[in-house]
């Protein structure tokens, strides 16, 4: 180390400190930018239902709430079947089976 001029080294050391400080500031700035971008992305990732979708949702709730099971009709049909009074249309039954088959293939 003999013969080295300390004053010549000092400007380089100051420049190194300045570069390190700039790098830290740049890193903080990038982190802040990333945080803002992440927040913007979270705000952008939202689902908004259309008016039609909202209407369908309400209609679905109404259908679920409606009483669609007619116990009296089921009891009357069950009694008619057990007494042999329920008319059976074999052609209609066969036609419905054929329609079901065509939907499966």
């Amino acid at each position: 180390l003999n013969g080295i001029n300390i004053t010549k080294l000092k400007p380089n050391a100051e420049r190194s400190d300045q570069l390190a400080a700039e790098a830290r500031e740049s890193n903080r700035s990038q982190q802040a930018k990333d945080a803002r971008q992440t927040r913007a992305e979270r705000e952008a990732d939202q689902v908004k239902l259309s008016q039609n979708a909202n209407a369908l949702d309400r209609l679905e709730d109404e259908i679920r709430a409606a009483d669609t099971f007619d116990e009296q009709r089921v009891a009357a049909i069950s009694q008619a079947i057990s007494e042999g009074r329920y008319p059976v249309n074999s052609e209609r039954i066969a036609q419905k089976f054929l329609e079901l088959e065509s939907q499966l293939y």
Side-chain angles (χ1 to χ4, degrees):
L1 294 175
N2 290 337
I4 296 179
N5 188 348
I6 298 294
T7 58
K8 289 183 181 178
L9 292 177
K10 190 172 182 179
N12 290 337
E14 288 175 359
R15 178 72 180 140
S16 177
D17 290 343
Q18 182 182 6
L19 290 174
E22 288 174 2
R24 283 191 301 273
E25 180 60 33
S26 174
N27 189 22
R28 280 193 295 268
S29 175
Q30 183 63 38
Q31 287 174 343
K33 180 181 175 186
D34 290 347
R36 284 190 305 272
Q37 184 177 9
T38 302
R39 183 174 39 243
E41 288 172 353
R42 280 194 308 262
E43 291 170 358
D45 291 340
Q46 295 179 357
V47 175
K48 294 183 181 180
L49 298 177
S50 69
Q51 289 179 346
N52 289 341
N54 287 329
L56 287 174
D57 193 38
R58 284 191 301 274
L59 182 61
E60 187 177 64
D61 290 342
E62 289 175 19
I63 290 171
R64 283 192 186 124
D67 187 18
T68 56
F69 182 73
D70 187 352
E71 289 183 50
Q72 290 177 343
R73 183 165 187 242
V74 171
I77 292 172
S78 294
Q79 186 174 358
I81 291 171
S82 66
E83 294 172 354
R85 296 182 294 111
Y86 190 80
V88 176
N89 184 341
S90 58
E91 287 185 26
R92 184 168 183 248
I93 293 172
Q95 184 62 37
K96 292 294 181 179
F97 272 120
L98 290 174
E99 289 174 14
L100 179 62
E101 282 285 317
S102 68
Q103 290 176 1
L104 294 176
Y105 299 104

